[in-house]
Amino acid sequence: MKSRISVLLVAFAMLFAAAIPETATGKSPKVRNGMIEFPEPARAKGQTDVLQLRCDPIPVVRVAFIGLGMRGSMAVERYTHLDGVRIVALCDVRPELVENAQGTLKNAGLPAAAGYTGAEDWKKVCEREDVDLIYNCTPWLLHTPIAVYAMRHGKHVALEVPAAMSIDECWQLVNTAEQTRRHCMMLENCCYDFFEMATLNMAQQGLFGEVMHVEGAYIHDLRSLNLDDKTGYYDMWRLKYNTDHTGNPYPTHGLGPVCQILNIHRGDKMDYLVSVSTDQKGLSLAAAGKFGKDSEYAETDYKLGDMNTTLIRTAKGKTILIQHDVTSPRPYDRLHKISGTKGFAQKYPVEGIALEPNAHSFLAKPEFDQLMAEYEHPISKEIGEKARQVGGHGGMDFIMDYRLIYCLHNGLPLDQDVYDAAEWSSLVELTETSVKHRGMPVKVPDFTRGAWNRINGFSHAVK
């Protein structure tokens, strides 16, 4: 009887594997032990990891911005408030955006930068000899190609989220960073929000006991931006992606901060995940309301479900819940929940902390405020006041930029390395794969290739 069952299981696994498409490397994911596994390529001979990578200090960081839309234009403005940087190039396919960014520099009393507006001009920017850092704020599908090209031309790279849209692109980032010994930081700004940094400090000091479960999300009603090619996303690139893909295409805002709390690839690793999505209704209804029920947009078969829910288990037995919803009429929410053996914290819908022995209720406001002041993160104390003045999602964007430049100035490891970029971005394809296979477990690749427990805990480097 057992042999018959084994034969049936093998046949089932082979059938499942046959339905899984090949990756861009030409190697198909396999089904092993009831789980889909993507291939993990061996590290090339002579290539070593870049964990805690240190590069030569850069006294004045020469920055080039590629992509000057919503995120890029705001980044240029923030960089006018940073010491020890020089903006040398501005690049976008829309000349008016380059002109607007030049105006930002002029208003700050800074010299004009070299301007680029051709479709392939980002390559010319990466090839410049007077650039240390490429700051990439282009649409998703250009993130990895530009990052790889820039690193191969000797540049450090900061790229918007997600850093990669496929497992193959994740490996491209990792291998290129390891081969070139250049920094590759994904610009996950939510890791620098004030509550997230305070709860990271609390967790590291043991306030919650052993953290066993965390939650994060990106729940943000983007229907109006997705359906507007003038004030929304350029050429409706995000809507086009949602037409063709399911799963969670934007996982990192909720995932990044909780991965730091769980010391992912610094003592633990994401092991496997399961992911399911609802049907899609929100985009079709919004398109019908704006363009008419018989319009092309209303009749499009969007693949992205309204809500995606993903559950991840780590190698050390912790769990992570991640959600994505950009098409439902509901308030903004990143969840950010931390549950430990001694306490709990959450950011949404209201900030609250509950601790033993009275963990059934949140702390009263005076106690909460006292705790937040006591555990305010040292980086928030250092730069928080200026960050709030400069702005950028309440100041967290400026703290992120400040930390990036601080580490480059001092030759320190960055707060987020290329393995963070790959691990957090890998959910894009991993969740889509699980959804397409009815929530089947999918193994999360180990992008450190076995070095995930060599570092003992996450920390911010200081000189």
Side-chain angles (χ1 to χ4, degrees), residues 263-384:
N263 300 312
I264 297 301
H265 89 247
R266 299 168 179 89
D268 200 355
K269 68 172 181 175
M270 294 186 285
D271 187 10
Y272 66 92
L273 62 79
V274 294
S275 186
V276 294
S277 291
T278 68
D279 286 346
Q280 185 282 131
K281 301 291 183 182
L283 271 177
S284 294
L285 289 171
K290 181 171 184 176
F291 300 108
K293 64 179 182 179
D294 297 325
S295 66
E296 175 188 353
Y297 292 116
E299 293 182 347
T300 297
D301 180 21
Y302 302 107
K303 298 295 190 296
L304 187 72
D306 286 358
M307 170 64 82
N308 173 268
T309 300
T310 299
L311 189 62
I312 308 165
R313 182 177 169 88
T314 76
K316 293 195 172 179
K318 314 301 176 64
T319 53
I320 307 171
L321 175 71
I322 299 295
Q323 292 188 317
H324 176 271
D325 184 345
V326 295
T327 59
S328 297
R330 53 182 294 183
Y332 182 87
D333 194 346
R334 294 201 307 269
L335 295 184
H336 193 66
K337 292 178 170 57
I338 303 102
S339 182
T341 56
K342 293 183 179 180
F344 172 85
Q346 71 169 31
K347 182 167 185 173
Y348 299 93
V350 293
E351 293 180 347
I353 295 173
L355 301 172
E356 292 278 49
N358 300 309
H360 280 178
S361 302
F362 285 123
L363 296 174
K365 191 175 188 311
E367 297 170 285
F368 172 82
D369 290 343
Q370 181 179 348
L371 205 61
M372 289 296 292
E374 179 182 350
Y375 285 93
E376 183 181 7
H377 197 281
I379 292 174
S380 299
K381 289 182 180 179
E382 175 191 359
I383 198 66

Side-chain angles (χ1 to χ4, degrees), residues 80 85-90 101-114:
T80 66
V85 300
R86 183 158 62 91
I87 299 172
V88 298
L90 301 167
Q102 297 282 24
T104 298
L105 300 184
K106 182 178 180 180
N107 292 338
L110 299 174

Side-chain angles (χ1 to χ4, degrees), residues 411-431:
L412 297 171
L414 303 189
D415 301 340
Q416 301 171 41
D417 61 22
V418 71
Y419 305 109
D420 292 311
E423 289 158 359
W424 304 349
S425 300
S426 72
L427 264 69
V428 174
E429 184 169 7
L430 298 180
T431 58

Side-chain angles (χ1 to χ4, degrees), residues 108-417:
L110 299 174
Y116 295 83
T117 58
E120 295 287 307
D121 277 3
W122 58 266
K123 293 181 180 179
K124 297 178 182 178
V125 175
C126 294
E127 293 164 2
R128 289 179 64 110
E129 294 185 359
D130 62 345
V131 172
D132 302 305
L133 173 67
I134 295 293
Y135 203 103
N136 180 0
C137 298
T138 57
W140 295 343
L141 295 178
L142 282 172
H143 287 180
T144 293
I146 292 175
V148 168
Y149 195 84
M151 284 188 281
R152 296 217 176 277
H153 284 82
K155 310 301 187 288
H156 300 299
V157 177
L159 66 165
E160 265 296 348
V161 302
M165 303 308 291
S166 68
I167 299 301
D168 181 67
E169 286 193 341
C170 290
W171 284 114
Q172 287 182 45
L173 293 176
V174 168
N175 285 327
T176 305
E178 291 182 351
Q179 292 160 7
T180 63
R181 320 305 290 175
R182 297 291 88 187
H183 288 299
C184 180
M185 174 180 167
M186 183 170 65
L187 295 164
E188 186 37 77
N189 55 345
C190 295
C191 291
Y192 298 92
D193 210 350
F194 294 92
F195 188 79
E196 281 83 342
M197 294 197 76
T199 51
L200 170 65
N201 193 25
M202 293 172 185
Q204 291 178 330
Q205 295 193 43
L207 185 67
F208 305 123
E210 183 177 1
V211 177
M212 300 301 297
H213 174 77
V214 292
E215 299 180 14
Y218 186 69
I219 297 172
H220 189 185
D221 185 358
L222 299 178
R223 290 172 297 174
S224 60
L225 289 174
N226 271 316
L227 295 168
D228 192 330
D229 62 350
K230 292 183 175 61
T231 61
Y233 301 106
Y234 174 67
D235 196 30
M236 291 186 167
W237 62 262
R238 194 160 181 161
L239 183 68
K240 293 174 182 176
Y241 190 90
N242 294 348
T243 302
D244 299 328
H245 295 276
T246 185
N248 184 341
Y250 202 70
T252 70
H253 283 336
L255 185 62
V258 297
C259 279
Q260 290 183 343
I261 287 174
L262 291 183
N263 300 312
I264 297 301
H265 89 247
R266 299 168 179 89
D268 200 355
K269 68 172 181 175
M270 294 186 285
D271 187 10
Y272 66 92
L273 62 79
V274 294
S275 186
V276 294
S277 291
T278 68
D279 286 346
Q280 185 282 131
K281 301 291 183 182
L283 271 177
S284 294
L285 289 171
K290 181 171 184 176
F291 300 108
K293 64 179 182 179
D294 297 325
S295 66
E296 175 188 353
Y297 292 116
E299 293 182 347
T300 297
D301 180 21
Y302 302 107
K303 298 295 190 296
L304 187 72
D306 286 358
M307 170 64 82
N308 173 268
T309 300
T310 299
L311 189 62
I312 308 165
R313 182 177 169 88
T314 76
K316 293 195 172 179
K318 314 301 176 64
T319 53
I320 307 171
L321 175 71
I322 299 295
Q323 292 188 317
H324 176 271
D325 184 345
V326 295
T327 59
S328 297
R330 53 182 294 183
Y332 182 87
D333 194 346
R334 294 201 307 269
L335 295 184
H336 193 66
K337 292 178 170 57
I338 303 102
S339 182
T341 56
K342 293 183 179 180
F344 172 85
Q346 71 169 31
K347 182 167 185 173
Y348 299 93
V350 293
E351 293 180 347
I353 295 173
L355 301 172
E356 292 278 49
N358 300 309
H360 280 178
S361 302
F362 285 123
L363 296 174
K365 191 175 188 311
E367 297 170 285
F368 172 82
D369 290 343
Q370 181 179 348
L371 205 61
M372 289 296 292
E374 179 182 350
Y375 285 93
E376 183 181 7
H377 197 281
I379 292 174
S380 299
K381 289 182 180 179
E382 175 191 359
I383 198 66
E385 183 177 351
K386 183 175 181 178
R388 290 185 177 94
Q389 293 171 357
V390 174
H393 294 96
M396 63 183 180
D397 294 1
F398 184 78
I399 297 176
M400 172 184 68
D401 294 330
Y402 169 82
R403 281 294 302 174
L404 170 59
I405 298 303
Y406 173 88
C407 291
L408 292 177
H409 279 166
N410 294 287
L412 297 171
L414 303 189
D415 301 340
Q416 301 171 41
D417 61 22

Side-chain angles (χ1 to χ4, degrees), residues 56-78:
D56 291 338
I58 308 174
V60 177
V61 180
R62 298 167 298 179
V63 187
F65 290 90
I66 302 177
L68 299 170
M70 288 184 282
R71 300 303 289 269
S73 60
M74 291 188 292
V76 172
E77 201 283 328
R78 294 194 305 273

